[in-house]
Amino acid sequence: MTRREVIRCVLDGRRPPYVPWSFGFTREAWEKLVGHYGSIAEAEVNLYNHIYDISANHFEDAGNDCVRDIFGVVWDRSVDKDIGVVKEYVLPEPTLGGYEFPDPLDERFFAALPGEIEKHNECFLEYDLGFSLYERAWTMRGMENLMVDFYDHPDFARELFRAIADFNIAQVRFVANTEVDAVYFGDDWGQQIGLQMGPDIWREFIFPELKRMFGETRKAGKYVALHSCGDVDELFDDLIAIGLNCFNPFQPEVMDTEALLRKYRGKLAFYGGLSTQKILPYGTAGDVRKETKRLLTLGCEGGYIFAPAHAVEGDVPLENMLAFIDTVREQPSFNAD
């Protein structure tokens, strides 16, 4: 089976020949790996990722270590080089008056798509929307402002969410005609305990637009994948009901990974699971190998894609990165050839 076929096997609720994987790294961590392997090409060969993300995110230089995203939001990357911190919002008042959304079919989003698909066609291909609803809204409006809007300006909040979802749906309809396998939505709702906005607000404002977006994706014949950090497992049944196939990051610090794998196997696939808050930065290479083997054993019956629970940070020792990379490749049924 190709890497693509193994991931499809997992998402379709079947038992794969081995537990597949896909790893992400921050710039600092990636530089360590490339230095170890000698080149980017050798690092990619040794990782043998099963999933390849084609990003919809585009940024332009805004000077002084800042970038501007396609929605006009300015991000300060002077400290956090990977994502950054929002510096300038584009909706200072609770109105869309005077603001023009970007064209969802702008050629910049799709110019590289044919080449990426051809180059990585053995991998499972995800079109990564990035911030896809709530996170897009608060980066445009400001988190505190948006939280107030839910109560003081609910019609505006609904209008904003609807406009963001319409933007995403237009892109979903475009990639429907490509060989992309899945659309990857990104929307962090959780904290270490519970939801940032609470379940009632989530169901009133966020759920209806998710249902629209997931529905369009499934209608297009694509899988639905979601990244949402934090303690959000109370939402899994709702998300499955509207078409979710795969959930990431599956954080062990806020979820019972073993219980959830057993409960949802055949209904929802999980992608992640290796602790990036504790074991990777603070454990030994032996600890990492032990936890990796435990997760591979739990996931061997299906419903699981192994990965660190988030992009590996620069404070993770190189030997700990190599520990999980080497361990997944040692699975008896895996053969890179």
Side-chain angles (χ1 to χ4, degrees):
M1 298 175 75
T2 66
R3 285 175 275 181
R4 191 178 206 170
E5 290 168 339
V6 175
I7 295 292
R8 283 179 170 269
C9 183
V10 170
L11 299 189
D12 289 341
R14 295 179 284 124
R15 181 170 182 157
Y18 58 87
V19 176
W21 63 86
S22 201
F23 310 139
F25 301 86
T26 62
R27 292 185 185 184
E28 187 178 352
W30 180 239
E31 288 171 0
K32 287 184 185 181
L33 273 184
V34 171
H36 171 77
Y37 289 117
S39 69
I40 292 175
E42 281 300 310
E44 290 176 343
V45 166
N46 279 275
L47 291 183
Y48 204 76
N49 277 343
H50 287 57
I51 298 174
Y52 185 79
D53 282 350
I54 302 171
S55 178
N57 292 315
H58 290 271
F59 298 90
E60 61 182 19
D61 182 38
N64 298 317
D65 290 322
C66 293
V67 294
R68 180 177 290 102
D69 69 25
I70 199 76
F71 288 83
V73 176
V74 174
W75 297 78
D76 184 342
R77 289 184 174 173
S78 58
V79 177
D80 180 352
K81 304 294 184 183
D82 293 276
I83 299 176
V85 178
V86 176
K87 184 177 181 180
E88 294 180 17
Y89 304 115
V90 295
L91 298 175
E93 300 297 330
T95 176
L96 290 178
Y99 178 78
E100 183 177 353
F101 269 77
D103 178 3
L105 302 182
D106 186 312
E107 63 179 11
R108 286 177 291 177
F109 292 118
F110 310 111
L113 204 54
E116 296 275 41
I117 290 172
E118 182 178 0
K119 182 178 179 181
H120 301 281
N121 64 358
E122 190 184 90
C123 294
F124 184 85
L125 300 170
E126 292 183 332
Y127 186 71
D128 185 350
L129 289 171
F131 295 161
S132 51
L133 193 61
Y134 166 72
E135 283 195 292
R136 181 64 67 196
W138 80 248
T139 62
M140 297 173 72
R141 176 78 174 112
M143 182 173 285
E144 183 176 346
N145 290 335
L146 182 63
M147 291 294 188
V148 172
D149 290 337
F150 288 140
Y151 295 92
D152 289 357
H153 308 286
D155 289 342
F156 163 72
R158 291 188 188 93
E159 181 186 13
L160 176 58
F161 278 49
R162 174 56 62 105
I164 294 168
D166 286 344
F167 177 94
N168 293 332
I169 287 170
Q171 294 204 332
V172 168
R173 288 172 176 166
F174 184 93
V175 300
N177 299 313
T178 72
E179 293 181 44
V180 163
D181 297 290
V183 177
Y184 191 46
F185 297 84
D187 223 25
D188 290 347
W189 306 315
Q191 307 173 104
Q192 288 295 103
I193 301 175
L195 304 177
Q196 296 172 27
M197 72 297 292
D200 293 341
I201 291 294
W202 184 89
R203 289 189 172 91
E204 180 179 352
F205 292 90
I206 297 173
F207 180 80
E209 301 306 331
L210 285 179
K211 186 176 181 179
R212 292 176 62 223
M213 294 190 296
F214 288 9
E216 287 287 340
T217 305
R218 293 295 293 269
K219 186 170 71 175
K222 309 299 183 184
Y223 294 95
V224 176
L226 170 71
H227 168 95
S228 189
C229 285
D231 178 16
V232 301
D233 56 288
E234 65 188 276
L235 305 176
F236 285 164
D237 290 332
D238 292 310
L239 294 168
I240 291 168
I242 59 173
L244 183 65
N245 299 110
C246 183
F247 177 82
N248 168 272
F250 201 38
Q251 293 170 259
E253 292 82 10
V254 299
M255 295 179 180
D256 185 336
T257 52
E258 181 172 352
L260 289 170
L261 266 172
R262 298 189 191 283
K263 179 178 179 180
Y264 288 105
R265 183 173 281 127
K267 301 176 183 178
L268 179 65
F270 293 102
Y271 170 24
L274 180 62
S275 170
T276 54
Q277 288 180 268
K278 296 178 181 178
I279 290 178
L280 278 178
Y282 302 118
T284 65
D287 295 331
V288 175
R289 281 192 292 271
K290 181 179 178 181
E291 180 63 6
T292 299
K293 289 177 180 178
R294 185 186 76 86
L295 288 166
L296 294 176
T297 299
L298 286 174
C300 69
E301 294 180 17
Y304 181 55
I305 302 164
F306 176 85
H310 212 287
V312 177
E313 297 281 353
D315 62 349
V316 174
L318 175 63
E319 56 267 29
N320 287 7
M321 299 183 210
L322 298 177
F324 68 76
I325 293 169
D326 293 342
T327 301
V328 295
R329 295 179 63 103
E330 292 167 359
Q331 293 180 82
S333 298
F334 169 69
N335 187 337
D337 298 331

